Amino acid sequence: MPAANQRTSRARWTPFLLLLPFILFLMLFWLIPLVGGVKMSLQANGLGQAEYVGLSHYMALANDERYITALRNSFTYTLASIVVIVPLALWLAHLLRATFRRLRPMLTFALLLPALTPPSVLAVLFLMVFHGKNGLLNQLFVMPLGLERIDWLKDPDFILIGLVLQTAWRWTGFMTFFILAGMEGIPRVFYEAARLATASRWRQFWHVTVPQLRPVLLFVAVYLVVDGFSLFSGAFMLLGGSGGTADAGLLTITYVFQKSRFFEYGTASAISVSLLPLMLLLVWGCLFLRRRTA
Amino acid sequence: MSNCGKNWRGVLSLLLLGPFLLAVLVPFLWMVLGMFKTNTEFFQPMAKAFFPANYDWQNVVELLDGRWVPFWAVFANSLFVSLGQALGAVALSAAAGYAFARFAFYGKRLLFVLTVALILVPRQLFAVPLFSWVNELGLSDSLLGVMLPGVVTGLGVVYFTQVFRQVPREYFQVARVCGAAELRVFLTVLPLVWPALLSYGMIHFILAWHEHLIPMLVLTSETKQTLPLALAKLYDISQRTPQGVQMAASTFAVIPTAVLFALCHRKFKSSLSDMLVH
């Protein structure tokens, strides 16, 4: 009997033993900086300042027009990139499935190339497309249509569109890959059943493919939200860390870096912390959706 | 469907895919060809001089000789940091994912919520406090200061939780009947899921290879830079680096991740497909 007891007690410790490295690193390199950020947001600006200033950074942000602009731009940018990328990737995955099986891996790889490229390289390639006068977009699409050249990265009406185009260019192929993998995992039986019920291709797509792909689509959306709100992304590279003309392309993450560049660490941290409620809402949403799909 | 109809559908889809493929591939082709061009050639309108007049390797030689940045050192740094991060992330996440998938334990729910929060609140958002903390740990201007924070990942843990849920229950029962201790069971299951280990390692390698912000804050000396930092320096107008050298460096920065993906992509896709069917 004592042997058996020992065994269960050891088994009780096993999960913690396995989790120990993860928990350790989670605390060291995520939780501590996170708490540090919250603390910093309550302290005066400047390097090595520790004077407690309460919520004054947050109060200042509430009246800061640039902060509001950045928040609005980030929402528009993230939402627009999801709206553009998800349907496009679904369509491309569908096309890839319809082409010759032998070409499929090569074509998928080609579409995915931008996602494998460092953002700074992408920004350089993209400047060629968006370049004021001689850029490809102007030369190939805008001018042949008899329209006036668009100065994509300077004209405040077009900066955000340009940024969305570059995210779409970067991520669509990657998301297509995930969706394709998901589609290939859907058991054939489902389609056969749908065909027996004489469902049209379109109805098969909406009633079999899309519901089955729900976990993939959730992943894609979460990935794009994280990339849009908090990564040092292509948008930053493309505008060189500025917000562009009239701040039309100012995103929250860009604003954080503009502030920390001038050692306004308190304000910079306050901006980051102010995004937390939104992200927590998303955490809750994800867990909720996960439970419903499971 | 008849064979003829199938072929027709294949050709039509290929035609519809065409514009997208061009939109992706033309800029990359332009980049690769750019490394052979002189500055004057480079700045001519694209349609006029898409291909270089002659294929001169001068720019590549200049880059590899380290005239502009210590290229080999930088490349090795990137490789070291990304490989270390990928290996660490796989080890940490696989162990944690196994625990989540196989055991009921105290605080499991809280820890899982934290893991999902870790995905949505990436460490980049708190780069400045992270940077000052890394300094306090005595890791400033060290490659370890970039590698270690990059080892913890929420995405990896969620992925492996899903992966280990799929291993058939019978397998664990057999292992237990054979008298293997729980940790031994974990180690014996690992070879079963090697495509998943490889796949996640690859994805994490790619993310680490692209990481710009944290290296920028942590690494200060020139010989310790990683590729994205060196690229940013080459692109900087004030450095007057020839465009051809810039394009050569860009091409070399894409090659490792592209090759890695090309090698693993089949395994990765099938492991994803298996997982997504639950």
Side-chain angles (χ1 to χ4, degrees), chain A residues 1 17 93 95 112 115 163 230 251 288:
Chain A
M1 257 357 233
L17 215 60
L95 287 179
L112 206 137
L163 293 185
S230 29
L251 302 181
F288 180 73

Side-chain angles (χ1 to χ4, degrees), chain A residues 145-158:
Chain A
L145 289 174
L147 301 172
E148 232 171 279
R149 283 177 184 149
I150 297 168
D151 206 344
W152 287 96
L153 293 180
K154 298 241 171 69
D155 189 332
D157 291 337
F158 287 99

